[in-house]
Amino acid sequence: MAADLLHRARRSLFLFRRLYTQRLKSVLEYKADFLIMMVAAALVQGLGFVFIWALFRQIPEIHGWGMWDIVLMFALIF
């Protein structure tokens, strides 16, 4: 039972690594596409932070949650 579970976990990790490697290769194949994707991701993160900052300038606390608590949650999710 444990040996079967260990075998399945190893197989899943092996497949995940292979699929992730192929995904990375496809993303890095086109430099302009990769740069656009990086800029877009940075903009999403930056605008999300600006939104949280603007919200907490008006409302200092939401149900006991402060700005940096929300920023941490936002960073962990994205």
Side-chain angles (χ1 to χ4, degrees), residues 11-23:
R11 176 83 176 140
S12 294
L13 287 173
F14 170 76
L15 290 174
F16 175 78
R17 190 178 75 231
R18 295 242 355 230
L19 290 171
Y20 189 78
T21 302
Q22 293 306 315
R23 169 77 176 131

PDB file of all heavy atoms in Angstrom, residues 11-23:
ATOM      1  N   ARG A  11       5.776   9.186  -9.705  1.00  0.00           N
ATOM      2  CA  ARG A  11       5.316   9.289 -11.087  1.00  0.00           C
ATOM      3  C   ARG A  11       4.672  10.654 -11.337  1.00  0.00           C
ATOM      4  O   ARG A  11       4.935  11.293 -12.346  1.00  0.00           O
ATOM      5  CB  ARG A  11       4.319   8.162 -11.385  1.00  0.00           C
ATOM      6  CG  ARG A  11       3.695   8.220 -12.746  1.00  0.00           C
ATOM      7  CD  ARG A  11       4.584   7.595 -13.770  1.00  0.00           C
ATOM      8  NE  ARG A  11       3.860   7.598 -15.050  1.00  0.00           N
ATOM      9  CZ  ARG A  11       4.423   7.853 -16.191  1.00  0.00           C
ATOM     10  NH1 ARG A  11       5.717   8.080 -16.252  1.00  0.00           N
ATOM     11  NH2 ARG A  11       3.739   7.845 -17.300  1.00  0.00           N
ATOM     12  N   SER A  12       3.866  11.100 -10.396  1.00  0.00           N
ATOM     13  CA  SER A  12       3.215  12.406 -10.538  1.00  0.00           C
ATOM     14  C   SER A  12       4.243  13.530 -10.554  1.00  0.00           C
ATOM     15  O   SER A  12       4.138  14.459 -11.357  1.00  0.00           O
ATOM     16  CB  SER A  12       2.218  12.628  -9.403  1.00  0.00           C
ATOM     17  OG  SER A  12       1.157  11.707  -9.496  1.00  0.00           O
ATOM     18  N   LEU A  13       5.235  13.472  -9.692  1.00  0.00           N
ATOM     19  CA  LEU A  13       6.286  14.490  -9.669  1.00  0.00           C
ATOM     20  C   LEU A  13       7.104  14.474 -10.958  1.00  0.00           C
ATOM     21  O   LEU A  13       7.465  15.528 -11.486  1.00  0.00           O
ATOM     22  CB  LEU A  13       7.189  14.313  -8.455  1.00  0.00           C
ATOM     23  CG  LEU A  13       6.580  14.714  -7.126  1.00  0.00           C
ATOM     24  CD1 LEU A  13       7.510  14.331  -5.976  1.00  0.00           C
ATOM     25  CD2 LEU A  13       6.276  16.197  -7.093  1.00  0.00           C
ATOM     26  N   PHE A  14       7.387  13.285 -11.460  1.00  0.00           N
ATOM     27  CA  PHE A  14       8.117  13.165 -12.716  1.00  0.00           C
ATOM     28  C   PHE A  14       7.328  13.809 -13.858  1.00  0.00           C
ATOM     29  O   PHE A  14       7.870  14.598 -14.643  1.00  0.00           O
ATOM     30  CB  PHE A  14       8.390  11.685 -13.022  1.00  0.00           C
ATOM     31  CG  PHE A  14       8.929  11.443 -14.393  1.00  0.00           C
ATOM     32  CD1 PHE A  14      10.256  11.729 -14.683  1.00  0.00           C
ATOM     33  CD2 PHE A  14       8.117  10.937 -15.407  1.00  0.00           C
ATOM     34  CE1 PHE A  14      10.768  11.512 -15.958  1.00  0.00           C
ATOM     35  CE2 PHE A  14       8.613  10.721 -16.674  1.00  0.00           C
ATOM     36  CZ  PHE A  14       9.938  11.006 -16.952  1.00  0.00           C
ATOM     37  N   LEU A  15       6.036  13.491 -13.949  1.00  0.00           N
ATOM     38  CA  LEU A  15       5.204  14.068 -14.998  1.00  0.00           C
ATOM     39  C   LEU A  15       5.070  15.581 -14.847  1.00  0.00           C
ATOM     40  O   LEU A  15       5.105  16.320 -15.827  1.00  0.00           O
ATOM     41  CB  LEU A  15       3.823  13.410 -15.004  1.00  0.00           C
ATOM     42  CG  LEU A  15       3.788  11.967 -15.477  1.00  0.00           C
ATOM     43  CD1 LEU A  15       2.402  11.389 -15.285  1.00  0.00           C
ATOM     44  CD2 LEU A  15       4.235  11.863 -16.927  1.00  0.00           C
ATOM     45  N   PHE A  16       4.908  16.034 -13.609  1.00  0.00           N
ATOM     46  CA  PHE A  16       4.811  17.471 -13.370  1.00  0.00           C
ATOM     47  C   PHE A  16       6.073  18.175 -13.836  1.00  0.00           C
ATOM     48  O   PHE A  16       6.001  19.200 -14.508  1.00  0.00           O
ATOM     49  CB  PHE A  16       4.575  17.754 -11.887  1.00  0.00           C
ATOM     50  CG  PHE A  16       4.592  19.219 -11.564  1.00  0.00           C
ATOM     51  CD1 PHE A  16       3.497  20.021 -11.850  1.00  0.00           C
ATOM     52  CD2 PHE A  16       5.711  19.802 -10.981  1.00  0.00           C
ATOM     53  CE1 PHE A  16       3.513  21.371 -11.568  1.00  0.00           C
ATOM     54  CE2 PHE A  16       5.735  21.152 -10.700  1.00  0.00           C
ATOM     55  CZ  PHE A  16       4.633  21.939 -10.990  1.00  0.00           C
ATOM     56  N   ARG A  17       7.244  17.638 -13.499  1.00  0.00           N
ATOM     57  CA  ARG A  17       8.510  18.249 -13.904  1.00  0.00           C
ATOM     58  C   ARG A  17       8.653  18.285 -15.422  1.00  0.00           C
ATOM     59  O   ARG A  17       9.053  19.296 -15.994  1.00  0.00           O
ATOM     60  CB  ARG A  17       9.684  17.508 -13.275  1.00  0.00           C
ATOM     61  CG  ARG A  17      11.007  18.243 -13.459  1.00  0.00           C
ATOM     62  CD  ARG A  17      12.172  17.548 -12.799  1.00  0.00           C
ATOM     63  NE  ARG A  17      12.553  16.397 -13.590  1.00  0.00           N
ATOM     64  CZ  ARG A  17      12.715  15.171 -13.107  1.00  0.00           C
ATOM     65  NH1 ARG A  17      12.527  14.928 -11.842  1.00  0.00           N
ATOM     66  NH2 ARG A  17      13.060  14.180 -13.886  1.00  0.00           N
ATOM     67  N   ARG A  18       8.278  17.196 -16.099  1.00  0.00           N
ATOM     68  CA  ARG A  18       8.361  17.169 -17.563  1.00  0.00           C
ATOM     69  C   ARG A  18       7.410  18.172 -18.197  1.00  0.00           C
ATOM     70  O   ARG A  18       7.788  18.896 -19.122  1.00  0.00           O
ATOM     71  CB  ARG A  18       8.042  15.771 -18.103  1.00  0.00           C
ATOM     72  CG  ARG A  18       9.040  14.747 -17.687  1.00  0.00           C
ATOM     73  CD  ARG A  18       9.837  14.039 -18.716  1.00  0.00           C
ATOM     74  NE  ARG A  18       9.623  14.221 -20.098  1.00  0.00           N
ATOM     75  CZ  ARG A  18       9.472  13.242 -20.974  1.00  0.00           C
ATOM     76  NH1 ARG A  18       9.461  11.996 -20.571  1.00  0.00           N
ATOM     77  NH2 ARG A  18       9.347  13.494 -22.245  1.00  0.00           N
ATOM     78  N   LEU A  19       6.176  18.223 -17.718  1.00  0.00           N
ATOM     79  CA  LEU A  19       5.202  19.159 -18.285  1.00  0.00           C
ATOM     80  C   LEU A  19       5.594  20.600 -17.993  1.00  0.00           C
ATOM     81  O   LEU A  19       5.437  21.479 -18.849  1.00  0.00           O
ATOM     82  CB  LEU A  19       3.809  18.863 -17.744  1.00  0.00           C
ATOM     83  CG  LEU A  19       3.179  17.571 -18.243  1.00  0.00           C
ATOM     84  CD1 LEU A  19       1.899  17.268 -17.477  1.00  0.00           C
ATOM     85  CD2 LEU A  19       2.914  17.641 -19.728  1.00  0.00           C
ATOM     86  N   TYR A  20       6.096  20.867 -16.801  1.00  0.00           N
ATOM     87  CA  TYR A  20       6.521  22.218 -16.452  1.00  0.00           C
ATOM     88  C   TYR A  20       7.702  22.657 -17.312  1.00  0.00           C
ATOM     89  O   TYR A  20       7.762  23.798 -17.766  1.00  0.00           O
ATOM     90  CB  TYR A  20       6.873  22.304 -14.964  1.00  0.00           C
ATOM     91  CG  TYR A  20       7.109  23.714 -14.498  1.00  0.00           C
ATOM     92  CD1 TYR A  20       6.039  24.557 -14.239  1.00  0.00           C
ATOM     93  CD2 TYR A  20       8.401  24.206 -14.334  1.00  0.00           C
ATOM     94  CE1 TYR A  20       6.240  25.856 -13.824  1.00  0.00           C
ATOM     95  CE2 TYR A  20       8.614  25.507 -13.925  1.00  0.00           C
ATOM     96  CZ  TYR A  20       7.535  26.325 -13.668  1.00  0.00           C
ATOM     97  OH  TYR A  20       7.748  27.615 -13.257  1.00  0.00           O
ATOM     98  N   THR A  21       8.631  21.747 -17.559  1.00  0.00           N
ATOM     99  CA  THR A  21       9.781  22.057 -18.408  1.00  0.00           C
ATOM    100  C   THR A  21       9.327  22.399 -19.822  1.00  0.00           C
ATOM    101  O   THR A  21       9.809  23.375 -20.419  1.00  0.00           O
ATOM    102  CB  THR A  21      10.758  20.866 -18.442  1.00  0.00           C
ATOM    103  OG1 THR A  21      11.178  20.580 -17.113  1.00  0.00           O
ATOM    104  CG2 THR A  21      11.974  21.159 -19.296  1.00  0.00           C
ATOM    105  N   GLN A  22       8.404  21.627 -20.357  1.00  0.00           N
ATOM    106  CA  GLN A  22       7.897  21.910 -21.704  1.00  0.00           C
ATOM    107  C   GLN A  22       7.158  23.245 -21.745  1.00  0.00           C
ATOM    108  O   GLN A  22       7.276  24.001 -22.709  1.00  0.00           O
ATOM    109  CB  GLN A  22       6.979  20.780 -22.182  1.00  0.00           C
ATOM    110  CG  GLN A  22       7.706  19.477 -22.407  1.00  0.00           C
ATOM    111  CD  GLN A  22       8.890  19.605 -23.349  1.00  0.00           C
ATOM    112  OE1 GLN A  22       8.799  20.241 -24.387  1.00  0.00           O
ATOM    113  NE2 GLN A  22      10.022  19.030 -22.971  1.00  0.00           N
ATOM    114  N   ARG A  23       6.394  23.545 -20.707  1.00  0.00           N
ATOM    115  CA  ARG A  23       5.684  24.826 -20.639  1.00  0.00           C
ATOM    116  C   ARG A  23       6.684  25.975 -20.616  1.00  0.00           C
ATOM    117  O   ARG A  23       6.516  26.983 -21.290  1.00  0.00           O
ATOM    118  CB  ARG A  23       4.797  24.856 -19.393  1.00  0.00           C
ATOM    119  CG  ARG A  23       4.219  26.186 -19.063  1.00  0.00           C
ATOM    120  CD  ARG A  23       3.058  26.534 -19.967  1.00  0.00           C
ATOM    121  NE  ARG A  23       2.488  27.786 -19.520  1.00  0.00           N
ATOM    122  CZ  ARG A  23       2.227  28.798 -20.312  1.00  0.00           C
ATOM    123  NH1 ARG A  23       2.430  28.697 -21.599  1.00  0.00           N
ATOM    124  NH2 ARG A  23       1.724  29.903 -19.844  1.00  0.00           N
TER     125      ARG A  23
END
